[in-house]
Amino acid sequence: MSSLLPKRLLPTIIYLTILLTSSSPTPSLAAPAPLPAAAEPSAPDVTKLFNGLGHIFVLNATSYSDASISDTIGCLSDTGYVVSTFSGFVSESESQSKSNCAVFSTITSYPKTINSRIGGCSFGNQAMPTNEDSKYGARQHAWSCNEDAGMVPEGERYYTINGFKHPFICNGNLNCYYDIPRAPLPAPSSSSKEDSNTKKDKVFVWQYAWGSEQMGITPGHLQVLWMWVPVGTKAE
Ligand SMILES: *[C@@H]1O[C@H](CO)[C@@H](O)[C@H](O)[C@H]1NC(C)=O
């Protein structure tokens, strides 16, 4: 096994090895191991918030324990790029009416991924660019939402963790941080969402991969969290 493999992939590889040698016809997915520090008794169970419809805000944050919505630098679009929330971000409630952000829906059944208006979202689309600036990103494709829902890699489910102060979205084996090349440009004030902002300036999201040769975020990139901001109930 190459020492160039990012450390965060090792548990997955071990898990997959177990999976491949297991005779169980319906294997369960890798369980998220360590929980954040025990939740305050009064803290809300964020796992109850992460369902139905929501925006995904992108927070410039290196620690889930002290990140909050005020660290927002953008949000995810229908195609899966980072875009500016809108000009003049004021509050969480206002963001829901004046948003530049896509509305996503959680999928509660296997494989527990996320959909946008366009389709299923994942890191599995081989047509997306890889994270070339990263020591470990050469084979990692950017997140995207695509009509082809069959591309979701094994184990890439999305969840949050009871004990987080906010519903930060993790995937796979405790991948709770993401790697983006830069903050999005501010959105022009009167414009259609996606086109104005992302055609010329596509800000991709990659998994945050690190290892002995690159201990932190890709040089020059931003380490971010994804925060689920519910927009209502899945009633339609
Ligand atoms: C992201 O956070 C870091 C550390 O707080 C800060 O230095 C940097 O300016 C921030 N970048 C953006 C685009 O907000």
Side-chain angles (χ1 to χ4, degrees), residues 17-42:
T17 308
I18 293 166
L19 231 172
L20 289 171
T21 55
S22 156
S23 60
S24 166
T26 53
S28 58
L29 293 167
L35 291 173
E40 309 272 324
S42 57

Side-chain angles (χ1 to χ4, degrees), residues 143-185:
W143 203 65
S144 69
C145 304
N146 199 292
E147 286 172 13
D148 176 11
M151 67 187 181
V152 179
E154 175 72 29
E156 195 191 306
R157 68 202 175 96
Y158 290 82
Y159 56 92
T160 188
I161 297 177
N162 186 8
F164 280 164
K165 286 187 195 135
H166 305 284
F168 301 128
I169 304 172
C170 306
N171 78 87
N173 191 355
L174 281 177
N175 305 322
C176 304
Y177 294 104
Y178 302 87
D179 177 324
I180 68 172
R182 61 184 177 278
L185 299 176

Side-chain angles (χ1 to χ4, degrees), residues 48-56 92-93 95-97 102-106 228-236:
K48 297 205 170 78
L49 297 174
F50 182 50
N51 64 48
L53 303 176
H55 299 307
I56 298 175
E92 194 166 336
S93 56
S95 75
Q96 296 174 12
S97 53
V103 174
F104 294 91
S105 57
T106 56
W228 184 255
V229 179
V231 295
T233 52
K234 206 175 186 171
E236 332 174 66

Side-chain angles (χ1 to χ4, degrees), residues 54-59 72-85 99-104 114-117 121-123 143-145 158 169 178-180 184 193-194 197-198 203-206 224-228:
H55 299 307
I56 298 175
F57 280 19
V58 175
L59 278 51
T72 300
I73 55 168
C75 59
L76 298 182
S77 72
D78 280 318
T79 44
Y81 308 135
V82 189
V83 294
S84 170
T85 49
S99 186
N100 194 29
C101 311
V103 174
F104 294 91
I114 296 172
N115 273 355
S116 80
R117 181 172 60 81
C121 306
S122 94
F123 288 101
W143 203 65
S144 69
C145 304
Y158 290 82
I169 304 172
Y178 302 87
D179 177 324
I180 68 172
K193 307 172 180 183
E194 190 87 358
N197 205 8
T198 57
V203 181
F204 298 110
V205 182
W206 289 284
V224 297
L225 285 161
W226 286 0
M227 179 172 161
W228 184 255

Side-chain angles (χ1 to χ4, degrees), residues 59-62 71-73 182-184 222-223:
L59 278 51
N60 179 24
T62 53
D71 296 313
T72 300
I73 55 168
R182 61 184 177 278
L222 293 172
Q223 181 177 344

